[in-house]
Amino acid sequence: MQTIKDTVNYAKETVQGGTSEASKEANKQVAKDSNASIGTRVNAATDAVGDKFDQHKHNTAAEVHKEAAKH
């Protein structure tokens, strides 16, 4: 039963990590857009940093669940 939970959690964290990565990339593009206002660019850059943190957190959690599911 625990293996099933770990497998589901692995899949969930992997998807969330992917979502955070996509958001990070979108925010990076906004931050680079010279047509956007400076405030918008700063907010996008800040959000990209937060997304990178979330991506790392989810990917780390996914690896933990993946290893737990093996045992």
Side-chain angles (χ1 to χ4, degrees):
M1 184 68 170
Q2 187 61 40
T3 302
I4 294 170
K5 287 181 183 179
D6 289 330
T7 302
V8 168
N9 286 332
Y10 166 71
K12 180 177 133 185
E13 293 291 348
T14 300
V15 168
Q16 289 176 330
T19 301
S20 293
E21 181 178 11
S23 179
K24 176 192 75 172
E25 292 302 321
N27 281 317
K28 280 175 47 178
Q29 292 306 313
V30 172
K32 293 177 186 178
D33 183 2
S34 60
N35 293 324
S37 71
I38 191 69
T40 298
R41 293 175 73 184
V42 169
N43 284 341
T46 302
D47 289 346
V49 170
D51 290 336
K52 179 64 178 176
F53 175 78
D54 289 343
Q55 177 189 2
H56 179 71
K57 178 181 71 173
H58 290 302
N59 289 347
T60 300
E63 284 302 312
V64 169
H65 290 300
K66 180 179 175 181
E67 288 301 314
K70 290 180 181 179
H71 300 290

